[in-house]
């Protein structure tokens, strides 16, 4: 089954120190390698900050509304994702628990993909 691991965390109020940034990136590089080495990685990327987001909506009348920023004002923001192919939800939860995004106050949402 294919699952999307959606990585959520608090919007940073200030940039991390060089050492903090290095620590986080090393953790993600190691996790990415583990997912790939296990043969379950289908893809994934980090996302730019919410300041780079654009939201698009089409009204009932067909008018396109484009606004700067994310869809909703929340404390947590989507920071990236992994797309994995594993046997079941338990395996997906195991991978989510190993993700650096599940630590340091963040969360990883596990969501199955629709199969058509």
């Amino acid at each position: 089954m294919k699952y999307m691991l959606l990585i959520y965390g608090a919007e940073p109020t200030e940039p991390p120190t060089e050492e903090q940034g290095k620590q986080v990136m090393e953790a993600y590089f190691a996790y990415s390698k583990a997912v790939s080495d296990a043969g379950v990685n289908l893809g994934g990327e980090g996302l730019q900050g919410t300041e780079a987001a654009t939201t698009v909506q089409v009204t009932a009348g067909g008018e396109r509304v484009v606004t700067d920023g994310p869809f909703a004002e929340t404390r947590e923001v989507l920071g990236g994702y992994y797309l994995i192919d594993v046997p079941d939800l338990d395996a997906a939860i195991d991978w989510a628990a190993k993700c650096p995004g599940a630590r340091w106050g963040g969360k990883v949402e596990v969501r199955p993909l629709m199969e058509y």
Side-chain angles (χ1 to χ4, degrees), residues 28 84 113:
Y28 272 105
I84 61 173
L113 271 61

Side-chain angles (χ1 to χ4, degrees), residues 27-96:
Y28 272 105
F29 291 147
Y31 179 74
S32 294
K33 182 177 182 338
V35 173
S36 292
D37 289 351
V40 300
N41 188 26
L42 297 178
E45 294 293 336
L47 301 174
Q48 292 187 27
T50 57
E51 70 280 354
T54 302
T55 300
V56 179
Q57 180 181 16
V58 178
T59 67
E63 177 187 357
R64 183 173 72 173
V65 180
V66 179
T67 55
D68 291 337
F71 172 69
E73 294 293 324
T74 64
R75 292 180 140 185
E76 295 180 331
V77 296
L78 178 62
Y81 69 93
Y82 285 86
L83 179 60
I84 61 173
D85 190 359
V86 293
D88 55 32
L89 178 59
D90 289 334
I93 290 170
D94 286 344
W95 280 110

Side-chain angles (χ1 to χ4, degrees), residues 6-30:
L6 301 162
I7 304 164
Y8 290 92
E11 183 84 71
T13 56
E14 57 187 55
T17 66
E18 186 174 330
E19 184 57 36
Q20 289 169 330
K22 181 179 176 185
Q23 180 184 12
V24 170
M25 292 311 299
E26 285 176 355
Y28 272 105
F29 291 147

